[in-house]
Amino acid sequence: MLEPRQPARPSHDDLVDHLVRSTALRRGEAARVVLDVLAYFDETTDEFVRRRHRELQSGGLANTVIFERIAAELPHRAVAPPELSLRQLRRMVYG
């Protein structure tokens, strides 16, 4: 009986190899960096807004400052979302 095939996962071995050659990172460390960067860029706008809200709130900032800061950060993301109002940002966090 044949075992079910796992879905193909893209290999980033060439990037890992490049990092190993061009930095002091060992292969395992380079692979972890690549996975961390990919996870960062996979984050949706909603996930980013919620994460940043938690981070800034834990730093003691008030919501008025937090939402203005998040609104200022969003256009600088790798794939910037459309401009969102402060109300839209609040709804992402609080529903």
Side-chain angles (χ1 to χ4, degrees), residues 6-25:
Q6 295 289 330
R9 293 179 61 178
S11 171
H12 302 287
D13 287 341
D14 56 337
L15 180 55
V16 172
D17 292 341
H18 172 74
L19 289 173
V20 169
R21 283 191 310 271
S22 63
T23 69
L25 295 174

Side-chain angles (χ1 to χ4, degrees), residues 8-53:
R9 293 179 61 178
S11 171
H12 302 287
D13 287 341
D14 56 337
L15 180 55
V16 172
D17 292 341
H18 172 74
L19 289 173
V20 169
R21 283 191 310 271
S22 63
T23 69
L25 295 174
R26 293 184 303 249
R27 186 160 189 77
E29 295 168 328
R32 193 189 86 237
V33 168
V34 168
L35 292 176
D36 286 349
V37 170
L38 291 173
Y40 175 84
F41 285 115
D42 278 347
E43 188 175 47
T44 67
T45 299
D46 285 5
E47 292 167 339
F48 172 78
V49 169
R50 285 190 212 100
R51 176 178 60 78
R52 285 299 288 148
H53 181 269

Side-chain angles (χ1 to χ4, degrees), residues 68-86:
E68 287 177 9
R69 184 170 300 177
I70 291 171
E73 291 175 358
L74 281 171
H76 302 286
R77 301 275 300 158
V79 178
E83 187 172 337
L84 300 169
S85 70
L86 297 179

